Amino acid sequence: MKLFNWMKHYVPKYAVLPLLGCLALNMLVYYGSRLFNLSMTSYDLSLPLDHRIPLVPPFIVVYMLSFVYWWFAYMVIAADSPERGGMLFGEMIGKLICLAFFLILPTQMERPAVTGNDIFSRLVRFIYWTDVPNNLFPSIHCMESHLCWRGLARCRRVPKWVKIAAFILSLAIYASTVLVRQHLVLDIPAGILVGEIGLWISRRLRLGERYAARWRIAHEA
């Protein structure tokens, strides 16, 4: 209840629908696709470089921190202005492109055995236990992190140091996806590219402006 009241206070009403749309589509794409592609032939897109990248368990902290980063970044972006919702619509388009890849080109990878008993190794084993190593290409982790940085960079009310921190954190998240062996190298640029395509389509269709216009008409009448 406290979280709901906090969101109600800090997140404008016009931002609620795009945020809920992002959340619902994320569940549909990531988990819904597995109803089909787990029984399909999967492909290994690993490069020679992938086999040389070591498992670095402490990076699991960065990997898991990304989930908090996305949620708060999207709330800040959506709250900046109704037009900024176009970025969130771009995220949804990018997620649908990911869904197409997950169903047309299912991918998988072989993950290393985690033998350590330190807290980081235990967290890695927990992630491995909860997350099947498929739906890799493009990387949703990298797409989301890239769009968070792109969206925050365009916000008028976000301080410059926050934008710089978001850029650095996004780079760290890209690295974490391969250093905890949750993704392959090719998944990173593919995720970034899909995010950019989603933004481009959203801008071309002027989804942010159209959503803002409809909202104002509906609530100013």
Side-chain angles (χ1 to χ4, degrees):
M1 182 62 69
K2 289 183 178 180
L3 177 61
F4 176 78
N5 290 333
W6 184 88
M7 290 179 59
K8 186 177 180 181
H9 180 73
Y10 288 100
V11 178
K13 290 182 179 179
Y14 62 76
V16 172
L17 184 60
L19 287 171
L20 290 179
C22 288
L23 179 61
L25 192 58
N26 182 77
M27 302 300 290
L28 172 66
V29 170
Y30 200 75
Y31 295 104
S33 62
R34 287 176 170 168
L35 298 175
F36 303 95
N37 64 13
L38 286 180
S39 60
M40 299 169 63
T41 300
S42 296
Y43 301 91
D44 186 343
L45 303 182
S46 60
L47 303 173
L49 176 60
D50 287 295
H51 302 292
R52 301 177 63 181
I53 297 176
L55 171 66
V56 186
F59 266 87
I60 195 65
V61 176
V62 178
Y63 185 85
M64 297 178 71
L65 179 63
S66 63
F67 297 104
V68 179
Y69 168 52
W70 301 339
W71 183 244
F72 281 97
Y74 283 149
M75 286 198 297
V76 171
I77 293 166
D80 190 65
S81 71
E83 288 79 7
R84 198 63 64 217
M87 203 286 305
L88 299 183
F89 292 124
E91 188 268 356
M92 295 183 217
I93 294 171
K95 197 71 67 61
L96 290 173
I97 296 174
C98 288
L99 175 61
F101 273 99
F102 295 164
L103 296 177
I104 297 172
L105 184 68
T107 54
Q108 63 179 3
M109 66 178 293
E110 183 177 347
R111 297 190 296 207
V114 185
T115 58
N117 287 317
D118 57 281
I119 183 62
F120 303 118
S121 296
R122 292 179 181 180
L123 286 174
V124 173
R125 280 197 293 270
F126 173 74
I127 290 297
Y128 285 6
W129 176 65
T130 59
D131 192 20
V132 178
N134 78 331
N135 286 351
L136 306 176
F137 182 91
S139 168
I140 288 181
H141 237 80
C142 294
M143 186 198 79
E144 300 282 23
S145 302
H146 178 70
L147 291 180
C148 284
W149 165 65
R150 290 278 275 122
L152 290 172
R154 296 171 64 91
C155 289
R156 297 166 298 181
R157 293 179 288 180
V158 173
K160 185 176 181 180
W161 71 267
V162 173
K163 299 177 182 180
I164 295 173
F167 176 70
I168 295 172
L169 180 56
S170 294
L171 293 179
I173 292 172
Y174 303 159
S176 76
T177 62
V178 292
L179 291 175
V180 299
R181 311 305 295 140
Q182 277 288 89
H183 277 283
L184 301 171
V185 170
L186 284 178
D187 302 335
I188 299 175
I192 295 172
L193 179 59
V194 164
E196 286 295 325
I197 292 173
L199 287 180
W200 181 81
I201 294 175
S202 179
R203 286 195 299 266
R204 291 285 294 180
L205 298 178
R206 300 179 60 206
L207 296 182
E209 292 85 345
R210 291 181 178 182
Y211 175 75
R214 287 180 178 273
W215 174 269
R216 293 189 176 103
I217 291 174
H219 291 82
E220 291 177 2

